[in-house]
Amino acid sequence: MPQKTFEIEGHRGCRGLMPENTIPAFQKALDLGVDTLELDVCISQDYQVLVSHEPYMNSLFASHPNGSPVLKKEEKTLNLYRMNYQEIQQFDTGLRGNKLFPAQQKLATHKPLLSEMLAFCENYIQQKGLKAVHYNIEIKSEEKEYGISQPESIEVFSDLVYQVLKQFIPAERVIIQSFDFNALRFWHQQIQSKEYPKFTLSALVEREGVEPSLQKLGFLPDVFSPYFKQLTKGKVAMCHQKGIKVIPWTVNEIDDMLAMKALGTDGLITDYPDRALKLWK
């Protein structure tokens, strides 16, 4: 029997080490040897799929094209869904660093298109002879934001993402995750009706238990992905009984990583994949 692997996912590339959700962060995570690149996607005004955790410019690390820092009070006015991608890419997202991650390297970079990110990573893997990785892509969606900082329908959002994915990578190397269960239900329905090939679907939750989450979702996802502090051995066992993998987020301290492994999880998502890879690879 093949040995069960413990999956190390680089959160937003490797946010602890490089500017989050940028090409340099994904390159570094690939060099480290992650199994999976975790990232987030939003939509611009011109319907481009871009890699970004927030649907706006984050004042923690974003700078205007003239170099001045984005201020907290400006964030919501810099709504990515109200900006064309050409405008978005003029903003820097790495030179200032991020005070929450003091070891993060400061460098000039920007929010890439999903297509740019996938093309870079796939070429880099080939050039360097690295193992093929999975991509865990979070659909950054909230019901109250429909039509405000994202397309009015989850169908439009999802299909824009799917059209990019199918050009670059096979579905078996893609995980689609979301806190918005409407998004997961739509992908599930598209897979069932054979409109989309079989993608791995991951239910992101913060505090919700296993049963309430599954009831709300209405189908069994491939992965249950809770905030790591909410996880117990019982929850892991309950998921495994149903054939669902458990991958908690965002586990950064070595003690917590060891604790998650001891609970029987199938892997973890971390800002510091270097720490996890030292333990298990």
Side-chain angles (χ1 to χ4, degrees), residues 205-255:
V205 301
E206 192 155 359
R207 291 189 161 72
E208 300 84 349
V210 177
E211 286 298 355
S213 300
L214 298 181
Q215 220 163 353
K216 184 181 158 196
L217 188 58
F219 70 92
L220 292 183
D222 304 289
V223 182
F224 183 69
S225 192
Y227 177 45
F228 82 95
K229 287 190 175 172
Q230 301 298 320
L231 206 47
T232 62
K233 226 177 173 76
K235 287 180 181 176
V236 175
M238 194 182 293
C239 287
H240 285 168
Q241 278 160 14
K242 297 176 189 295
I244 300 169
K245 282 185 170 183
V246 181
I247 311 266
W249 56 270
T250 299
V251 193
N252 288 341
E253 301 307 324
I254 286 171
D255 286 354

Side-chain angles (χ1 to χ4, degrees), residues 169-184:
I169 30 174
E172 59 264 25
R173 284 175 54 210
V174 180
I175 302 146
I176 297 294
Q177 62 174 357
S178 192
F179 285 101
D180 184 352
F181 285 7
N182 292 331
L184 294 177

Side-chain angles (χ1 to χ4, degrees), residues 8-256:
I8 309 299
E9 300 197 12
H11 187 238
R12 307 186 199 176
C14 51
R15 179 170 56 161
L17 309 172
M18 300 295 263
E20 66 174 67
N21 278 325
T22 63
I23 300 283
F26 298 120
Q27 180 178 343
K28 176 74 173 170
L30 289 172
D31 285 337
L32 287 169
V34 297
D35 302 302
T36 301
L37 295 171
E38 192 272 355
L39 60 142
D40 311 271
V41 289
C42 294
I43 306 294
S44 65
Q45 188 172 34
D46 50 346
Y47 283 88
Q48 300 291 309
V49 183
L50 65 137
V51 182
S52 177
H53 182 260
E54 295 83 20
Y56 55 84
M57 291 293 172
N58 190 323
S59 60
L60 264 175
F61 52 80
S63 305
H64 287 275
N66 67 4
S68 66
V70 167
L71 305 174
K72 184 76 183 162
K73 63 182 181 188
E74 295 179 287
E75 284 183 339
K76 296 301 165 71
T77 66
L78 297 168
N79 174 349
L80 305 183
Y81 188 56
R82 300 283 173 240
M83 298 163 75
N84 281 339
Y85 182 67
Q86 199 178 354
E87 191 186 346
I88 291 166
Q89 73 180 138
Q90 305 301 313
F91 282 72
D92 179 88
T93 57
L95 265 180
R96 287 169 55 205
N98 182 333
K99 65 181 182 194
L100 303 180
F101 299 92
Q104 189 187 95
Q105 200 176 319
K106 296 181 168 97
L107 49 89
T109 186
H110 65 280
K111 292 181 184 291
L113 289 173
L114 177 61
S115 57
E116 180 193 354
M117 178 266 178
L118 293 172
F120 173 85
C121 292
E122 289 300 289
N123 287 336
Y124 191 73
I125 286 165
Q126 212 170 5
Q127 276 171 17
K128 298 280 180 181
L130 302 173
K131 65 176 182 190
V133 293
H134 286 78
Y135 296 86
N136 185 2
I137 299 170
E138 181 178 347
I139 307 281
K140 287 308 293 184
S141 171
E142 270 187 276
E143 217 165 322
K144 66 179 178 59
E145 289 294 317
Y146 292 4
I148 299 167
S149 66
Q150 65 183 80
E152 291 203 5
S153 84
I154 200 63
E155 292 82 357
V156 169
F157 191 155
S158 297
D159 216 55
L160 288 166
V161 175
Y162 172 60
Q163 295 306 326
V164 175
L165 290 177
K166 72 177 191 181
Q167 296 173 55
F168 291 94
I169 30 174
E172 59 264 25
R173 284 175 54 210
V174 180
I175 302 146
I176 297 294
Q177 62 174 357
S178 192
F179 285 101
D180 184 352
F181 285 7
N182 292 331
L184 294 177
R185 277 192 287 269
F186 176 71
W187 283 77
H188 178 65
Q189 176 195 314
Q190 294 298 88
I191 293 164
Q192 295 296 99
S193 63
K194 304 278 195 287
E195 292 293 321
Y196 292 177
K198 173 70 182 98
F199 288 92
T200 297
L201 300 181
S202 176
L204 279 170
V205 301
E206 192 155 359
R207 291 189 161 72
E208 300 84 349
V210 177
E211 286 298 355
S213 300
L214 298 181
Q215 220 163 353
K216 184 181 158 196
L217 188 58
F219 70 92
L220 292 183
D222 304 289
V223 182
F224 183 69
S225 192
Y227 177 45
F228 82 95
K229 287 190 175 172
Q230 301 298 320
L231 206 47
T232 62
K233 226 177 173 76
K235 287 180 181 176
V236 175
M238 194 182 293
C239 287
H240 285 168
Q241 278 160 14
K242 297 176 189 295
I244 300 169
K245 282 185 170 183
V246 181
I247 311 266
W249 56 270
T250 299
V251 193
N252 288 341
E253 301 307 324
I254 286 171
D255 286 354
D256 293 325

